[in-house]
Amino acid sequence: MRVCVIGTGYVGLVTGVCLAHVGHDVVCIDVNEEKVKLMQSGQSPIFEPGLSDLMKSSMATGHLQFSTNLQAGVEHGEILFIAVGTPALPTGESDTRYVEAVAKGIGSHLNGGYKVIVNKSTVPIGSGDWVRMIVMDGVTERQAVPVPAGGVPETTHPEVIADFDVVSNPEFLREGSAVYDTFNPDRIVLGSNSPRAIAMMKELYTPIVERRFAEDTTAGAVPVVVTDLSSAEMVKYASNAFLATKISFINEVANICDRVGADVTQVAQGIGLDSRIGKKFLQAGIGWGGSCFPKDVSALIHTADDYGYEAQLLKAAVDVNNRQRQITLEKLQQVLKILKGKTVGLLGLTFKPDTDDMRDAPSLILIEQLNRLGAKVKAYDPIVSQSGLRHGLTGVIVESDASHLADSCDALVLVTDWQQFKELDYAAMGQRMNSPIMIDGRNFLDREAMVRAGFQYMGIGR
Ligand SMILES: NC(=O)c1ccc[n+]([C@@H]2O[C@H](COP(=O)([O-])OP(=O)(O)OC[C@H]3O[C@@H](n4cnc5c(N)ncnc54)[C@H](O)[C@@H]3O)[C@@H](O)[C@H]2O)c1
């Protein structure tokens, strides 16, 4: 099928590349010219395991193209994905101005021929109808533009030009395993009142539903959940709010463990084996961050507020998460007493491993707070240390390798659980430090091994 993906960030680019890989003809559009040039040269602007290779092979087969030309993209696609960012405003609500710009742009380029407009961006509940309205605004605004002298007037009625349906198709991929998640989804959610649009979306996803590109091609078909527009939008928010709350729950338990002398990693194992609870998202630590959980939880709280409902549980999940950042700092103060004049080394900067995404990363808050308390901050991150991202950071010296990070540090804090951090020579690193102290913000390292390496080790809730 002919597909246009508008917005080539973590979601749009992965979606475009994977749909091209399964055989669709995909044009990816972005307003960022530099990014588009990079992608046209076969390079991915983001780090995501497996993405670059798939991108190159799909470009070679002619199934994948990149452009800044929205009109060409709209003309090309039978299915038009909106995959631009919806960051949080200071009030907590979603900033939908990029979605609005795209919807209007699509409207201004519609020219007859049925289209399915798909909201893949995470948008506030009720946005499906709003997108339809904005697309129609784009159609009518274009019609209002006078035809230049000698030009051919576009006389088609707006209803004929604007033959489209809107579908909400929330995205559940995890950064760091986005390609894997796209080919191995737990479910596909399609929200629309149009049977025609749903049928086209099902056809689009058939290779994925039938697991032709999955790790286990013999597993049963991927469940497709068809809902109305608002319910699909709510599925996305409710999923992220649930996962964030689950993490805040185990962090709350960890803080109680700390006080009563229990080990939260053992507790999590004990409760996680209960099939009603499950093991995932029960790792206590420095708290959740990233580009989705914080903004999606606050957007849901804000929506509830708009409708006169106070989302108390979600507000508590946010409070616990904010307090969790503080706990790492308190642990440092407990062992180092005064932080002024001390040097703290951070292992990891990205909000989670296997990504280069720094949005709402816990490391940023830690850096800010340590700076405020007069500490010098150094950091090493397998991706950030080797990329241009390091130059955008303030208040932290980004080292090029982990062993140098340890030089003259008074303590290390493990912030991101990169697999590489399990393999470091901690005994040698400890010798380069003023005092070999490790605050393990992810309960990721082997406590006994760290003690054997000469470290004073503190985890979260253990
Ligand atoms: N990142 C994730 O893990 C994830 C997971 C699920 C859902 N989501 C949701 O998906 C959406 C996209 O997230 P992301 O992380 O991919 O965003 P992103 O910020 O990484 O990428 C957005 C892209 O859209 C482009 N863009 C902005 N305005 C444009 C316009 N008018 N026309 C064309 N391109 C435009 C930007 O240049 C950028 O490349 C968000 O709503 C997000 O909440 C993200």
Side-chain angles (χ1 to χ4, degrees):
M1 298 176 86
R2 284 174 288 108
V3 178
C4 170
V5 180
I6 305 155
T8 57
Y10 290 86
V11 167
L13 182 57
V14 172
T15 302
V17 168
C18 291
L19 289 176
H21 183 70
V22 306
H24 298 300
D25 279 322
V26 181
V27 173
C28 290
I29 305 292
D30 205 288
V31 280
N32 185 329
E33 287 181 17
E34 232 173 273
K35 209 171 181 181
V36 170
K37 270 193 202 133
L38 194 71
M39 294 185 290
Q40 283 170 336
S41 74
Q43 292 179 66
S44 168
I46 54 166
F47 175 76
E48 196 53 61
L51 184 64
S52 284
D53 289 345
L54 282 195
M55 191 172 147
K56 286 189 187 112
S57 62
S58 296
M59 287 174 82
T61 59
H63 283 305
L64 181 64
Q65 292 175 59
F66 298 96
S67 171
T68 52
N69 186 341
L70 181 61
Q71 179 170 0
V74 171
E75 282 167 8
H76 167 86
E78 314 161 66
I79 297 183
L80 313 173
F81 279 97
I82 302 177
V84 292
T86 46
L89 288 167
T91 52
E93 63 194 309
S94 264
D95 183 351
T96 52
R97 85 181 94 154
Y98 307 105
V99 176
E100 183 172 353
V102 173
K104 197 170 258 188
I106 291 174
S108 71
H109 296 306
L110 287 180
N111 214 355
Y114 180 70
K115 310 271 182 192
V116 179
I117 300 174
V118 187
N119 252 342
K120 212 163 202 16
S121 297
T122 303
V123 284
I125 295 133
S127 293
D129 293 332
W130 171 76
V131 163
R132 161 167 281 283
M133 186 183 81
I134 303 293
V135 172
M136 286 310 295
D137 284 352
V139 173
T140 30
E141 273 178 31
R142 183 190 57 186
Q143 291 213 320
V145 175
V147 179
V152 182
E154 289 182 70
T155 49
T156 325
H157 192 274
E159 296 304 324
V160 177
I161 295 176
D163 184 15
F164 70 93
D165 283 305
V166 178
V167 172
S168 167
N169 173 216
E171 181 54 63
F172 304 103
L173 62 75
R174 297 162 298 173
E175 285 178 22
S177 56
V179 171
Y180 174 89
D181 291 346
T182 304
F183 291 132
N184 301 270
D186 291 334
R187 78 300 206 188
I188 290 171
V189 176
L190 302 173
S192 178
N193 305 324
S194 157
R196 184 177 179 189
I198 293 291
M200 282 177 66
M201 292 302 290
K202 283 185 173 172
E203 188 187 339
L204 179 82
Y205 280 124
T206 299
I208 291 172
V209 169
E210 292 180 351
R211 297 196 193 270
R212 286 182 221 155
F213 298 85
E215 193 171 73
D216 178 4
T217 50
T218 61
V222 175
V224 177
V225 182
V226 178
T227 69
D228 56 75
L229 269 166
S230 304
S231 301
E233 290 159 354
M234 184 57 118
V235 168
K236 175 62 194 173
Y237 280 110
S239 298
N240 276 358
F242 180 84
L243 294 172
T245 305
K246 196 171 175 188
I247 298 172
S248 281
F249 170 81
I250 198 66
N251 281 335
E252 186 107 283
V253 171
N255 297 337
I256 302 170
C257 282
D258 250 344
R259 283 157 180 82
V260 299
D263 181 337
V264 74
T265 59
Q266 295 175 23
V267 175
Q269 191 188 9
I271 60 177
L273 285 167
D274 185 327
S275 59
R276 293 169 302 177
I277 297 172
K279 287 186 241 178
K280 292 180 181 164
F281 285 76
L282 280 185
Q283 283 77 37
I286 200 166
W288 36 274
S291 67
C292 289
F293 283 6
K295 83 173 174 66
D296 291 352
V297 177
S298 62
L300 189 53
I301 291 171
H302 198 276
T303 300
D305 226 33
D306 279 348
Y307 288 82
Y309 179 77
E310 191 187 358
Q312 291 179 353
L313 181 64
L314 302 183
K315 284 184 176 172
V318 173
D319 288 346
V320 169
N321 198 52
N322 291 338
R323 196 178 54 191
Q324 211 60 20
R325 308 272 195 275
Q326 211 55 39
I327 282 165
T328 321
L329 213 59
E330 284 165 16
K331 284 186 189 281
L332 279 170
Q333 286 172 323
Q334 209 179 314
V335 280
L336 294 175
K337 308 298 177 203
I338 292 173
L339 294 180
K340 204 177 185 76
K342 300 284 188 343
T343 303
V344 177
L346 307 184
L347 278 165
L349 286 165
T350 55
F351 88 92
K352 67 176 190 172
D354 297 317
T355 181
D356 54 358
D357 200 344
M358 293 286 299
R359 290 177 284 187
D360 261 317
S363 62
L364 299 175
I365 292 161
L366 209 50
I367 292 167
E368 189 187 301
Q369 292 180 339
L370 284 167
N371 281 179
R372 186 177 53 80
L373 291 167
K376 178 167 152 186
V377 188
K378 304 203 295 173
Y380 169 74
D381 182 280
I383 289 278
V384 178
S385 289
Q386 319 303 334
S387 75
L389 286 169
R390 61 188 297 169
H391 305 302
L393 296 169
T394 51
V396 56
I397 301 162
V398 181
E399 298 285 359
S400 301
D401 63 70
S403 57
H404 277 105
L405 173 70
D407 285 343
S408 310
C409 273
D410 295 285
L412 293 176
V413 181
L414 188 140
V415 183
T416 316
D417 42 349
W418 285 94
Q419 199 55 37
Q420 292 94 314
F421 293 162
K422 286 235 195 244
E423 323 297 335
L424 296 176
D425 183 351
Y426 286 106
M429 285 170 73
Q431 299 210 336
R432 303 169 79 140
M433 297 174 67
N434 292 340
S435 46
I437 293 166
M438 169 66 78
I439 312 289
D440 185 352
R442 299 286 178 183
N443 287 342
F444 185 60
L445 302 172
D446 179 336
R447 177 169 39 190
E448 277 71 40
M450 289 306 292
V451 171
R452 276 199 306 277
F455 272 79
Q456 181 181 349
Y457 174 92
M458 293 173 93
I460 307 284
R462 56 194 305 224

